[in-house]
Amino acid sequence: SDTANGIAQEHGFWLDDAFASGGSAGYDHKDMGITARGAWEAVKRHFREIGKDIQSEAFTVAGVGDMSGDVFGNGMLLSRHIRLVAAFDHRDIFIDPNPDAETSFAERERMFGLKRSSWADYDKALISKGGGVFSRKSKSIAISAEMRKLLGLTEKRLPPNDLIKAILRAPVELFWLGGIGTYFKGDGEEDWRVGDRANDLVRVTASEIRASVIGEGANLGVTQTARIEFAARGGRVNTDAIDNSAGVDSSDHEVNIKILLSKAIENGALEADARNALLEEMTDAVARHVLAHNYQQTRALSQRLATAPADLDSQARLMAVLEKTERLDRALENLPDTEAIATLRGRNQGLTRPEISVLLAYAKNWLFEELVASSAPDDPVFERELFAYFPERLAEFRTEIATHPLRREIIATRIANDIVDSCGPSFPYRAADATGADFGEITLAYEAARRILDLRPFVAAVDGLDNKIDATCQLDLYNAASTLLREQMYRIAAGVNTGAVLEKEGVSGFLEAYGGPVSEIKTGLADVLPPRARKTLDERRAQWIELGAPDDVGVEAALMPSLELVFDVANLSRETGWAPIDAAAMFFAVGEALSIDVVRAAARDLPRADYYDKMALRRLAEDLATRQSGLTASLIEGGEAPSGAPGEWTSTLIGDWRDAHSAQFERYDRFIVELEIERGMSVGKLSLLNRKLVDLEERVRLV
């Protein structure tokens, strides 16, 4: 890195010593342990989702690497509860059949501190009975009874390569890949295709893996075919690009910070000789930024895996579009073709975690490219994202941050990450396809919805439930928030009542117009819901609490289906002049009186046969909300909200309204009975109901 940076400086290149990261004036990845720490976030999530906290419970590990290595060495010091039973590098094989977690941790820590240590440096007196350190140059290795039991062997002697194969097949909880080489291939994959001849003699197939979790801290320890096969059998694995991304992320931060500080020096805001000390001071802050992204990205994969069968059609369309635009080669990336997708659909299965990992990357890259090419990153509202990228210590360099040469790219990267992580890889394309908006407009609508709904405290609270509640419940809570965010963004981008405000006044104008009303509705909605809706809310809350959610989290999650209509209520308030909470009381009372809320709930549970069914159902749901708003507006047109508790006067107003239009409501009531909502809904029934509501609104306004 120093050599490359020196060449850049000699040529006066604008990046100066930010041309190559990790030099003597940069962040040392091994000292930070950042690559291993990022991969460990993935490993912790895998175990958390199978009900184990590896930071407080003992677990068995085998792996590739030694304690002098960056990824292996740092990784094997990230929990004091690791029971490392076997490992190997290019020199030695280490086996400890029954290790003491605390004693072995201390010894690994000692070896990590040695320069260029190998397994031969391990204190043999600390290895449990039957274990040892064996040279890979040996002709054969004696296999003790303890080793046979550990690895499921019957042989009493084995060549080193065969013993390594046995380690790769070891029945451990975690297999930690921290060394160079590809050690696992697909069952039908030929060694020559793997491209790692040095390990052809030790490589095993995916069906032979007996580990529960694979942590791929090193590059390409497992082929993508093997990852997919392992995941399809219930194994927990991402891709190397996901697991070891923290190193790259850290380098990105280093480069962008150096660019910033060069401008600060140029502007006289920082002394040149103070730069390196400032860089070092921010090491922990940079690590926190990077690890937060690892946490969020692996959470995104878990969310999408939880909804994989339902997401298959939209993901298939995304792959088709990426192929059509020559952004993706499906065969190269081991993604399923049309025939394979049809098979998955027939089995009610979705993509595996490694496949979703690949799609996540392509979706982020595509969205990033589109955003950089658009004017969206120039919207002043995104300055918050630019400042959030840098450690707080740099806040004093406000001018330099605001004029950073890569400000648009930094903003686009952060927004693309957030949108895809929060809403899924197919979401940007799906939203654009459904609304007719381009990616820049989609991003502005997303930001408007995100700011108004302000779900960050809720998500942070759910993050805080790691290892405290069942992981399935935790994922359901995340997905409840994602669904609310997606649905509101759709309505904004589609121009359903709110879109005009965003188009004319921008995100800032939108926030000014809707921030107060939406906040008031969110705060008071539970208290003004009509009886049936309130009962449903209480039942949802009780379900969340029973699943383990804390009371405040359960209350907010239970309210989210009702909050999907919050912008409709805010628009009703703007149109009628009623206070937002009074408009909410009347809106939901009308929904209950006309059975719209029951229909909406039934439609939410309706199976989506394909991509177009989803689009049709979303459009019909939007139409239902529009009809509900229109009918509520006709009821309260020209009047003022009565005083007193909403529950006391909404029923009176609706009763008077029905009496004034008795013939129209009698016909509508007969239709609702004939609809047999309790027997389930369909796209056809929803279409007919929308038509009846249009007729009812027209007739009510005429009389």
Side-chain angles (χ1 to χ4, degrees):
S1 295
D2 286 345
T3 300
N5 285 331
I7 294 171
Q9 289 171 318
E10 286 173 16
H11 287 267
F13 188 60
W14 72 277
L15 279 172
D16 197 62
D17 76 339
F19 179 69
S21 65
S24 56
Y27 294 120
D28 187 303
H29 288 187
K30 183 173 181 179
D31 285 348
M32 292 176 72
I34 194 63
T35 304
R37 291 164 69 187
W40 205 250
E41 288 298 320
V43 169
K44 287 193 295 184
R45 183 172 296 283
H46 286 316
F47 277 103
R48 191 158 59 240
E49 290 172 6
I50 57 178
K52 188 159 192 168
D53 177 7
I54 58 173
Q55 300 309 109
S56 64
E57 301 174 63
F59 62 108
T60 54
V61 183
V64 179
D66 59 72
M67 291 308 298
S68 67
D70 171 10
V71 179
F72 188 90
N74 277 299
M76 291 298 93
L77 296 176
L78 290 173
S79 171
R80 302 190 78 92
H81 300 275
I82 292 170
R83 296 182 66 243
L84 181 65
V85 297
F88 65 88
D89 65 2
H90 60 288
R91 298 163 295 190
D92 303 300
I93 300 170
F94 166 82
I95 298 181
D96 191 359
N98 188 28
D100 176 79
E102 189 60 35
T103 301
S104 59
F105 178 90
E107 179 61 3
R108 289 196 304 275
E109 191 172 43
R110 182 190 69 81
M111 289 175 60
F112 184 73
L114 297 177
K115 287 186 178 181
R116 300 180 180 178
S117 67
S118 72
W119 287 116
D121 294 305
Y122 201 99
D123 186 345
K124 312 303 185 294
L126 300 178
I127 298 177
S128 60
K129 182 183 177 184
V133 176
F134 313 97
S135 173
R136 290 186 65 172
K137 294 180 180 179
S138 303
K139 289 186 177 181
S140 67
I141 296 169
I143 309 299
S144 67
E146 291 78 12
M147 289 164 62
R148 290 197 295 273
K149 181 179 180 182
L150 169 70
L151 301 174
L153 297 171
T154 57
E155 297 88 346
K156 293 188 177 181
R157 296 195 72 87
L158 281 176
N161 282 348
D162 287 352
L163 181 55
I164 286 173
K165 282 188 172 185
I167 291 172
L168 293 170
R169 301 184 187 112
V172 291
E173 292 171 276
L174 169 65
F175 201 95
W176 178 251
L177 287 154
I180 297 170
T182 306
Y183 297 94
F184 301 102
K185 64 177 181 176
D187 284 2
E189 208 166 9
E190 296 167 293
D191 283 315
W192 69 268
R193 291 186 181 277
V194 175
D196 175 28
R197 292 182 63 186
N199 290 298
D200 283 353
L201 296 178
V202 299
R203 192 173 300 115
V204 301
T205 62
S207 62
E208 296 176 278
I209 302 173
R210 290 189 287 171
S212 301
V213 174
I214 292 176
E216 205 166 353
N219 288 325
L220 199 60
V222 189
T223 69
Q224 181 67 353
T225 301
R227 293 181 193 122
I228 293 168
E229 291 177 7
F230 177 63
R233 292 190 296 106
R236 305 285 305 192
V237 64
N238 299 315
T239 63
D240 54 353
I242 295 291
D243 282 4
N244 63 45
S245 64
V248 179
D249 201 351
S250 178
S251 294
D252 287 348
H253 276 76
E254 177 189 325
V255 169
N256 285 317
I257 289 171
K258 281 185 174 179
I259 292 170
L260 168 66
L261 295 181
S262 291
K263 297 290 286 184
I265 293 169
E266 183 182 318
N267 296 340
L270 177 70
E271 295 293 332
D273 58 5
R275 190 202 71 160
N276 289 351
L278 179 55
L279 278 170
E280 185 176 350
E281 180 186 332
M282 294 185 294
T283 303
D284 290 343
V286 168
R288 284 194 297 272
H289 278 243
V290 169
L291 295 177
H293 187 218
N294 282 91
Y295 181 94
Q296 292 157 7
Q297 188 162 247
T298 55
R299 179 182 69 200
L301 290 173
S302 293
Q303 286 184 246
R304 298 287 65 82
L305 190 64
T307 59
D311 293 340
L312 182 61
D313 281 308
S314 57
Q315 290 171 347
R317 284 184 63 84
L318 173 62
M319 285 186 275
V321 171
L322 288 170
E323 274 194 314
K324 188 176 180 181
T325 55
E326 298 184 343
R327 288 183 170 89
L328 170 69
D329 183 332
R330 238 191 275 208
L332 182 67
E333 295 291 359
N334 292 92
L335 289 169
D337 58 19
T338 303
E339 184 178 341
I341 287 170
T343 300
L344 289 171
R345 187 183 296 115
R347 296 173 178 170
N348 194 32
Q349 294 176 338
L351 299 182
T352 63
R353 195 178 183 98
E355 291 168 313
I356 297 170
S357 298
V358 170
L359 209 52
L360 195 84
Y362 274 90
K364 288 182 176 182
N365 286 336
W366 186 19
L367 181 55
F368 169 81
E369 291 169 8
E370 294 290 331
L371 290 181
V372 170
S374 76
S375 61
D378 302 316
D379 192 301
V381 76
F382 289 124
E383 189 171 272
R384 182 178 81 171
E385 292 302 316
L386 180 63
F387 277 81
Y389 175 83
F390 295 99
E392 290 183 11
R393 176 65 180 81
L394 297 176
E396 64 182 275
F397 303 111
R398 188 170 187 84
T399 300
E400 289 74 20
I401 293 176
T403 58
H404 196 288
L406 298 175
R407 68 183 305 278
R408 301 181 85 257
E409 287 79 6
I410 292 170
I411 289 169
T413 298
R414 282 184 59 85
I415 293 297
N417 279 335
D418 195 86
I419 291 176
V420 175
D421 284 349
S422 297
C423 301
S426 63
F427 171 74
Y429 168 72
R430 196 167 74 243
D433 192 34
T435 64
D438 62 35
F439 278 9
E441 293 165 335
I442 291 294
T443 298
L444 292 173
Y446 172 87
E447 186 65 13
R450 179 171 72 152
R451 294 286 190 98
I452 290 288
L453 294 171
D454 192 17
L455 295 171
R456 288 176 302 170
F458 174 83
V459 172
V462 179
D463 289 344
L465 299 175
D466 285 350
N467 296 311
K468 295 178 182 177
I469 67 171
D470 183 78
T472 301
C473 175
Q474 206 176 5
L475 286 174
D476 288 343
L477 288 166
Y478 287 131
N479 278 327
S482 293
T483 298
L484 173 60
L485 184 58
R486 281 198 305 266
E487 294 306 316
Q488 296 319 295
M489 187 252 98
Y490 271 114
R491 297 182 69 75
I492 296 170
V496 181
N497 301 321
T498 56
V501 176
L502 181 63
E503 185 177 346
K504 292 178 183 176
E505 303 177 30
V507 176
S508 297
F510 188 94
L511 299 179
E512 186 176 343
Y514 287 96
V518 169
S519 178
E520 182 180 335
I521 295 164
K522 282 179 65 177
T523 301
L525 182 57
D527 296 325
V528 301
L529 289 173
R532 189 165 60 202
R534 179 68 203 207
K535 182 174 182 290
T536 300
L537 174 67
D538 290 340
E539 288 172 349
R540 285 199 299 260
R541 172 185 166 276
Q543 288 171 353
W544 284 120
I545 302 300
E546 185 178 350
L547 290 170
D551 191 69
D552 56 339
V553 172
V555 167
E556 190 167 356
L559 195 59
M560 284 179 181
S562 298
L563 289 175
E564 289 179 16
L565 300 164
V566 70
F567 286 112
D568 298 278
V569 175
N571 281 316
L572 180 64
S573 170
R574 287 161 61 93
E575 179 185 346
T576 62
W578 277 33
I581 200 63
D582 291 332
M586 201 71 255
F587 178 88
F588 284 98
V590 167
E592 181 165 299
L594 300 181
S595 298
I596 297 174
D597 56 350
V598 177
V599 169
R600 185 178 288 113
R604 187 177 286 114
D605 297 330
L606 193 63
R608 272 69 163 168
D610 59 24
Y611 178 81
Y612 292 103
D613 273 353
K614 290 181 180 180
M615 290 184 66
L617 285 166
R618 176 171 288 108
R619 181 57 58 86
L620 288 168
E622 290 170 356
D623 289 346
L624 272 181
T626 300
R627 302 284 77 78
Q628 189 172 342
S629 294
L631 284 160
T632 307
S634 70
L635 187 160
I636 63 182
E637 197 170 38
E640 294 183 358
S643 58
E648 297 173 0
W649 49 259
T650 52
S651 56
T652 301
L653 288 180
I654 288 176
D656 293 343
W657 185 47
R658 290 180 67 97
D659 289 343
H661 307 283
S662 56
Q664 288 80 14
F665 280 108
E666 284 174 9
R667 282 195 293 271
Y668 178 80
D669 291 342
R670 284 197 297 272
F671 169 76
I672 289 294
V673 172
E674 293 169 0
L675 201 60
E676 296 182 307
I677 299 170
E678 68 281 355
R679 296 185 61 179
M681 292 301 295
S682 65
V683 172
K685 285 185 176 183
L686 281 169
S687 298
L688 285 173
L689 177 60
N690 266 315
R691 184 66 254 171
K692 285 292 182 181
L693 287 169
V694 170
D695 292 343
L696 179 63
E697 184 179 355
E698 290 175 351
R699 292 175 185 276
V700 165
R701 288 186 182 277
L702 285 173
V703 175

